[in-house]
mmCIF file of all heavy atoms in Angstrom:
data_model
loop_
_atom_site.group_PDB
_atom_site.id
_atom_site.type_symbol
_atom_site.label_atom_id
_atom_site.label_comp_id
_atom_site.label_asym_id
_atom_site.label_seq_id
_atom_site.Cartn_x
_atom_site.Cartn_y
_atom_site.Cartn_z
ATOM 1 N N CYS A 113 -6.942 14.061 -20.591
ATOM 2 C CA CYS A 113 -7.414 14.147 -19.242
ATOM 3 C C CYS A 113 -6.539 14.913 -18.317
ATOM 4 O O CYS A 113 -7.027 15.615 -17.411
ATOM 5 C CB CYS A 113 -7.805 12.726 -18.776
ATOM 6 S SG CYS A 113 -9.116 11.984 -19.596
ATOM 7 N N ARG A 114 -5.193 14.705 -18.458
ATOM 8 C CA ARG A 114 -4.331 15.390 -17.539
ATOM 9 C C ARG A 114 -4.531 17.027 -17.851
ATOM 10 O O ARG A 114 -4.492 17.657 -16.855
ATOM 11 C CB ARG A 114 -2.762 15.096 -18.110
ATOM 12 C CG ARG A 114 -2.490 13.675 -17.723
ATOM 13 C CD ARG A 114 -1.021 13.188 -18.310
ATOM 14 N NE ARG A 114 -0.934 11.641 -18.156
ATOM 15 C CZ ARG A 114 0.080 11.179 -18.115
ATOM 16 N NH1 ARG A 114 1.352 11.702 -18.275
ATOM 17 N NH2 ARG A 114 0.172 9.844 -18.000
ATOM 18 N N GLN A 115 -4.642 17.353 -19.099
ATOM 19 C CA GLN A 115 -4.834 18.795 -19.358
ATOM 20 C C GLN A 115 -6.110 19.267 -18.779
ATOM 21 O O GLN A 115 -6.249 20.406 -18.208
ATOM 22 C CB GLN A 115 -4.742 19.047 -20.799
ATOM 23 C CG GLN A 115 -4.968 20.528 -21.173
ATOM 24 C CD GLN A 115 -3.961 21.551 -20.670
ATOM 25 O OE1 GLN A 115 -2.795 21.152 -20.427
ATOM 26 N NE2 GLN A 115 -4.404 22.709 -20.223
ATOM 27 N N VAL A 116 -7.240 18.513 -18.839
ATOM 28 C CA VAL A 116 -8.505 18.903 -18.335
ATOM 29 C C VAL A 116 -8.451 19.092 -16.813
ATOM 30 O O VAL A 116 -8.911 19.936 -16.160
ATOM 31 C CB VAL A 116 -9.638 17.953 -18.730
ATOM 32 C CG1 VAL A 116 -10.944 18.174 -17.987
ATOM 33 C CG2 VAL A 116 -9.848 18.157 -20.270
ATOM 34 N N LEU A 117 -7.784 18.087 -16.173
ATOM 35 C CA LEU A 117 -7.612 18.163 -14.667
ATOM 36 C C LEU A 117 -6.776 19.313 -14.203
ATOM 37 O O LEU A 117 -7.092 20.021 -13.168
ATOM 38 C CB LEU A 117 -6.878 16.818 -14.137
ATOM 39 C CG LEU A 117 -7.858 15.491 -14.280
ATOM 40 C CD1 LEU A 117 -6.889 14.314 -14.090
ATOM 41 C CD2 LEU A 117 -8.953 15.664 -13.177
ATOM 42 N N HIS A 118 -5.710 19.571 -15.084
ATOM 43 C CA HIS A 118 -4.852 20.731 -14.745
ATOM 44 C C HIS A 118 -5.620 22.065 -14.636
ATOM 45 O O HIS A 118 -5.254 22.963 -13.972
ATOM 46 C CB HIS A 118 -3.769 20.759 -15.814
ATOM 47 C CG HIS A 118 -2.854 21.841 -15.774
ATOM 48 N ND1 HIS A 118 -3.007 23.030 -16.252
ATOM 49 C CD2 HIS A 118 -1.573 21.978 -15.099
ATOM 50 C CE1 HIS A 118 -2.092 23.889 -15.959
ATOM 51 N NE2 HIS A 118 -1.147 23.166 -15.242
ATOM 52 N N GLU A 119 -6.703 22.090 -15.400
ATOM 53 C CA GLU A 119 -7.410 23.420 -15.308
ATOM 54 C C GLU A 119 -7.870 23.769 -13.930
ATOM 55 O O GLU A 119 -7.919 24.902 -13.578
ATOM 56 C CB GLU A 119 -8.707 23.247 -16.262
ATOM 57 C CG GLU A 119 -9.576 24.505 -16.427
ATOM 58 C CD GLU A 119 -8.854 25.492 -17.218
ATOM 59 O OE1 GLU A 119 -8.009 25.254 -17.929
ATOM 60 O OE2 GLU A 119 -9.390 26.684 -17.086
ATOM 61 N N PHE A 120 -8.112 22.772 -13.253
ATOM 62 C CA PHE A 120 -8.727 22.989 -11.816
ATOM 63 C C PHE A 120 -7.791 22.535 -10.744
ATOM 64 O O PHE A 120 -7.939 23.115 -9.632
ATOM 65 C CB PHE A 120 -10.050 22.135 -11.674
ATOM 66 C CG PHE A 120 -10.996 22.489 -12.754
ATOM 67 C CD1 PHE A 120 -11.226 21.621 -13.904
ATOM 68 C CD2 PHE A 120 -11.832 23.589 -12.623
ATOM 69 C CE1 PHE A 120 -12.174 22.149 -14.786
ATOM 70 C CE2 PHE A 120 -12.828 23.927 -13.498
ATOM 71 C CZ PHE A 120 -12.997 23.148 -14.751
ATOM 72 N N ALA A 121 -6.853 21.784 -10.833
ATOM 73 C CA ALA A 121 -6.045 21.201 -9.885
ATOM 74 C C ALA A 121 -4.689 20.715 -10.362
ATOM 75 O O ALA A 121 -4.427 19.571 -10.689
ATOM 76 C CB ALA A 121 -6.730 20.118 -9.163
ATOM 77 N N PRO A 122 -3.746 21.604 -10.612
ATOM 78 C CA PRO A 122 -2.577 21.405 -11.293
ATOM 79 C C PRO A 122 -1.591 20.243 -10.589
ATOM 80 O O PRO A 122 -0.744 19.708 -11.281
ATOM 81 C CB PRO A 122 -1.857 22.711 -11.402
ATOM 82 C CG PRO A 122 -2.734 23.751 -11.235
ATOM 83 C CD PRO A 122 -3.851 23.147 -10.443
ATOM 84 N N ASP A 123 -1.842 20.243 -9.303
ATOM 85 C CA ASP A 123 -0.945 19.265 -8.531
ATOM 86 C C ASP A 123 -1.787 18.206 -7.861
ATOM 87 O O ASP A 123 -1.496 17.715 -6.711
ATOM 88 C CB ASP A 123 0.005 19.978 -7.658
ATOM 89 C CG ASP A 123 1.165 19.149 -7.250
ATOM 90 O OD1 ASP A 123 1.454 18.236 -8.031
ATOM 91 O OD2 ASP A 123 1.785 19.297 -6.217
ATOM 92 N N LEU A 124 -2.834 17.836 -8.351
ATOM 93 C CA LEU A 124 -3.855 16.950 -7.748
ATOM 94 C C LEU A 124 -3.267 15.596 -7.354
ATOM 95 O O LEU A 124 -2.636 14.934 -8.203
ATOM 96 C CB LEU A 124 -5.109 16.678 -8.795
ATOM 97 C CG LEU A 124 -6.234 15.939 -8.275
ATOM 98 C CD1 LEU A 124 -6.992 16.716 -7.272
ATOM 99 C CD2 LEU A 124 -7.104 15.538 -9.441
ATOM 100 N N PRO A 125 -3.434 15.167 -6.145
ATOM 101 C CA PRO A 125 -2.999 13.840 -5.766
ATOM 102 C C PRO A 125 -3.858 12.777 -6.416
ATOM 103 O O PRO A 125 -5.073 12.896 -6.480
ATOM 104 C CB PRO A 125 -3.178 13.752 -4.374
ATOM 105 C CG PRO A 125 -3.293 15.193 -3.822
ATOM 106 C CD PRO A 125 -3.942 15.887 -4.916
ATOM 107 N N ILE A 126 -3.240 11.767 -7.053
ATOM 108 C CA ILE A 126 -3.951 10.742 -7.850
ATOM 109 C C ILE A 126 -3.500 9.360 -7.366
ATOM 110 O O ILE A 126 -2.357 9.019 -7.363
ATOM 111 C CB ILE A 126 -3.667 11.063 -9.324
ATOM 112 C CG1 ILE A 126 -4.104 12.325 -9.824
ATOM 113 C CG2 ILE A 126 -4.439 9.848 -10.112
ATOM 114 C CD1 ILE A 126 -3.706 12.598 -11.243
ATOM 115 N N ARG A 127 -4.521 8.555 -7.073
ATOM 116 C CA ARG A 127 -4.188 7.116 -6.823
ATOM 117 C C ARG A 127 -4.594 6.278 -8.046
ATOM 118 O O ARG A 127 -5.791 6.141 -8.399
ATOM 119 C CB ARG A 127 -4.821 6.685 -5.655
ATOM 120 C CG ARG A 127 -4.695 5.137 -5.248
ATOM 121 C CD ARG A 127 -4.904 4.793 -3.815
ATOM 122 N NE ARG A 127 -3.783 5.331 -2.911
ATOM 123 C CZ ARG A 127 -3.711 4.972 -1.826
ATOM 124 N NH1 ARG A 127 -4.542 4.157 -1.167
ATOM 125 N NH2 ARG A 127 -2.705 5.547 -0.907
ATOM 126 N N LEU A 128 -3.532 5.666 -8.648
ATOM 127 C CA LEU A 128 -3.807 4.700 -9.817
ATOM 128 C C LEU A 128 -3.905 3.376 -9.217
ATOM 129 O O LEU A 128 -3.097 2.871 -8.475
ATOM 130 C CB LEU A 128 -2.767 4.839 -10.758
ATOM 131 C CG LEU A 128 -2.266 6.197 -11.231
ATOM 132 C CD1 LEU A 128 -0.923 6.226 -12.086
ATOM 133 C CD2 LEU A 128 -3.371 6.852 -12.014
ATOM 134 N N VAL A 129 -5.077 2.554 -9.559
ATOM 135 C CA VAL A 129 -5.215 1.417 -9.038
ATOM 136 C C VAL A 129 -5.631 0.434 -10.332
ATOM 137 O O VAL A 129 -6.339 0.750 -11.161
ATOM 138 C CB VAL A 129 -6.380 1.208 -8.066
ATOM 139 C CG1 VAL A 129 -6.571 -0.137 -7.415
ATOM 140 C CG2 VAL A 129 -6.179 2.215 -6.894
ATOM 141 N N SER A 130 -4.928 -0.861 -10.213
ATOM 142 C CA SER A 130 -5.412 -1.760 -11.356
ATOM 143 C C SER A 130 -6.512 -2.608 -10.879
ATOM 144 O O SER A 130 -6.774 -2.717 -9.621
ATOM 145 C CB SER A 130 -4.208 -2.613 -11.696
ATOM 146 O OG SER A 130 -3.781 -3.517 -10.672
#
Side-chain angles (χ1 to χ4, degrees):
C113 289
R114 293 177 193 197
Q115 179 62 33
V116 169
L117 290 165
H118 178 274
E119 181 74 17
F120 299 102
D123 202 25
L124 187 70
I126 301 176
R127 177 160 288 189
L128 308 173
V129 181
S130 67

